[in-house]
Amino acid sequence: MQIVEFEGIFHNVGQGLFYSGEIVHHNDSFNFVYDCGSIWNNNKPNLKYLEAAIQRYITNLNNKDILHLLVISHLHSDHVNGLPILLDKFKRVKYVVLPYFSPLERLIIALYNLNAPYWYFEFLADPATFLLNRNVEIV
């Protein structure tokens, strides 16, 4: 009988979402992240809780070099503002799945976040290029 282990965690990051999981079978593992963000506080993301949650996630991984799958549900800041921190932790990110938003829709999202950091506008301008420039292999 082959045993497959799975652990999924909703990380406490305040309002926003950072969910992660890992599937382990023998010595092979597959890890994923679903969204990585927290609400803006005084025009700044609540990075204290988010950074701590990301670090705990990385510490507990079997394979710390690769993130196999990153799923982004939508482009609101409270679901993506931890991406630079998360992506910097891995040498490779195999796959990223994200919804398509037209340039006009991304502009509207940007207008709701005028005090966001520069990288967020860079991400909204061209999400695929932003990700591909940060060790992501396939978007």
Side-chain angles (χ1 to χ4, degrees):
M1 183 165 98
Q2 296 183 4
I3 297 175
V4 176
E5 296 177 36
F6 170 76
E7 180 180 22
I9 300 171
F10 279 101
H11 300 272
N12 185 5
V13 293
Q15 181 179 331
L17 183 61
F18 176 40
Y19 179 79
S20 67
E22 185 172 28
I23 301 167
V24 179
H25 180 257
H26 296 296
N27 290 330
D28 292 327
S29 66
F30 175 88
N31 60 63
F32 67 90
V33 168
Y34 184 91
D35 285 348
C36 186
S38 184
I39 193 166
W40 299 104
N41 259 346
N42 298 322
N43 299 324
K44 295 181 181 177
N46 193 358
L47 291 180
K48 182 172 90 172
Y49 299 115
L50 190 56
E51 283 180 306
I54 290 169
Q55 190 56 51
R56 278 191 307 275
Y57 168 64
I58 301 295
T59 299
N60 293 320
L61 282 176
N62 286 311
N63 184 349
K64 296 174 182 18
D65 291 336
I66 183 170
L67 175 61
H68 295 99
L69 175 64
L70 169 62
V71 178
I72 300 171
S73 65
H74 59 286
L75 307 183
H76 289 160
S77 62
D78 64 334
H79 289 255
V80 300
N81 62 20
L83 288 180
I85 299 165
L86 179 73
L87 296 174
D88 284 347
K89 300 286 185 184
F90 291 98
K91 292 180 183 173
R92 294 174 52 209
V93 179
K94 185 71 177 166
Y95 300 101
V96 175
V97 177
L98 71 157
Y100 174 77
F101 285 87
S102 71
L104 179 58
E105 291 169 313
R106 295 193 314 266
L107 176 61
I108 292 168
I109 293 169
L111 291 172
Y112 279 100
N113 294 281
L114 289 176
N115 293 318
Y118 179 78
W119 74 262
Y120 183 64
F121 298 110
E122 190 181 0
F123 171 70
L124 288 176
D126 188 350
T129 298
F130 177 89
L131 294 164
L132 291 169
N133 287 335
R134 284 162 180 80
N135 299 324
V136 172
E137 294 177 10
I138 300 171
V139 177

